[in-house]
Amino acid sequence: MASLPSDTHLPEMPSADLSEFRKVLSNSKNIICLAGAGLSAPSGMPTFRGSDGALWRKYDALRLSTKAGFLDSPSRVWQFEHYRRELVFKAKPNAAHLALAKFSIPAYRERVAPESTFTLITQNVDELSKKALQSVKASLPSGSIDNELSDPDHPPLIEMHGSLFDLVCTAYECGHREKNYNSPLCPALAGTELIYEADSKLPEPDIPKEDLPRCSKCGSLQRPGMVWFGEVPYRIDEILKLAENADLCLVVGTSSVVHPAAKLAGMVKAAGGKVAVFNVDRSKRDEQADFLFIGPSETILPDALRMEDV
Ligand code: APR
Ligand code: ZN
């Protein structure tokens, strides 16, 4: 077999050495984490590009997260959103959500990464990381929430694609945005989540616009408030600034194919920082990472961050 020329530079394979990772963690001062659908998969939320998520009913789930998909059939897009909302109502934050939430509490993080800042940037729209943070904060002795949690330059959590529970008015002159946790959002959506079941014989309803979610201010049709493909993620300037100043980027449960999220780790690396990937599978550009931990993040991450026994 032909051998490679002796001066061939093969990129170092990423390390899977936990003690090495913990050493880097303890010396890091500005840490960010980019999370994707794999963070919430153990909580029952389908991923987008794994076998369980690419299709919904017989439709391409990705196309249902586009403006064109909504214009095509607001009825179908709202049934897709309703299906995912109903999944979230049954879902709970898993150990990886909780580990990241604990890691965002300065008093806990101090033990493994002294004098560091941390922001979780999630692509997920299920609010499970927000719920995890709320439950961790609620369990803290009262009055012990360090002021860094309200440090405007280093927020604990940024939901860059928004939330399934954000709704926006489609009327240009209104644009009213609201949170809505009703289940269902409107009577016409009730029970449509069941049509998803593969053996469902139920016909797919074509819900008239007037029976879809309507703006509480002007009565116009509402759209899901999350960021669709081709739209600018929320707080993107803040996110890019955090990535420019980070010296460690954790990449958890994402295929790293959707931009601009996918470029954050590369930005940290290019600025001399370190990247640690946590994924059940190989993912894009993970060979460029400094650390690669292959396995379920719900078991590996709490241990890697030493947040299991806090
Ligand atoms: N632990 C760690 N990683 C996991 C786990 C798990 N338990 N389960 C799945 N994964 C990994 C998969 O191997 C895959 O790499 O999670 C990743 C999920 O990838 P995607 O489905 O592509 O989801 P994501 O990367 O978040 O997609 C980015 O694309 O569809 C849009 O807006 C949507 O926010 C989404 C964006
Ligand atoms: Zn309106």
Side-chain angles (χ1 to χ4, degrees), residues 169-171 173-176 215-222:
C169 179
T170 57
E173 64 287 358
C174 174
H176 172 62
C215 174
S216 56
K217 272 196 140 164
C218 75
S220 305
L221 176 67
Q222 287 177 310

Side-chain angles (χ1 to χ4, degrees), residues 95-276:
H97 289 116
L98 292 169
L100 288 166
K102 289 174 188 167
F103 193 71
S104 67
I105 305 291
Y108 291 154
R109 191 172 64 251
E110 199 56 25
R111 304 178 193 177
V112 286
E115 291 155 45
S116 64
T117 65
F118 175 70
T119 296
L120 167 59
I121 300 158
T122 185
Q123 301 172 87
N124 300 338
V125 293
D126 54 34
E127 295 196 2
L128 289 176
S129 289
K130 188 164 121 180
K131 234 185 234 163
L133 188 57
Q134 285 163 347
S135 76
V136 166
K137 284 201 283 190
S139 67
L140 292 173
S142 61
S144 70
I145 296 185
D146 302 0
N147 57 21
E148 187 203 304
L149 269 182
S150 53
D151 169 1
D153 295 333
H154 300 93
L157 173 64
I158 296 179
E159 295 173 310
M160 67 185 292
H161 290 163
S163 158
L164 278 164
F165 303 100
D166 294 335
L167 286 81
V168 178
C169 179
T170 57
Y172 182 77
E173 64 287 358
C174 174
H176 172 62
R177 168 182 286 275
E178 64 186 35
K179 277 278 182 205
N180 186 322
Y181 293 93
N182 293 342
S183 165
L185 274 169
C186 54
L189 285 170
T192 58
E193 70 280 7
L194 304 174
I195 301 173
Y196 173 71
E197 305 312 325
D199 56 357
S200 157
K201 302 279 175 286
L202 294 167
E204 173 178 309
D206 185 8
I207 303 171
K209 281 188 187 159
E210 52 275 17
D211 296 340
L212 288 171
R214 312 296 300 188
C215 174
S216 56
K217 272 196 140 164
C218 75
S220 305
L221 176 67
Q222 287 177 310
R223 57 155 280 185
M226 72 190 61
V227 176
W228 280 331
F229 282 105
E231 295 180 329
V232 178
Y234 294 119
R235 303 170 67 177
I236 188 62
D237 295 339
E238 252 182 284
I239 291 170
L240 294 175
K241 194 161 161 235
L242 284 163
E244 277 155 16
N245 296 313
D247 51 6
L248 176 60
C249 180
L250 312 178
V251 181
V252 178
T254 179
S255 55
S256 289
V257 296
V258 174
H259 283 269
K263 71 175 183 184
L264 300 183
M267 286 172 68
V268 175
K269 189 91 182 140
K274 301 272 184 206
V275 173

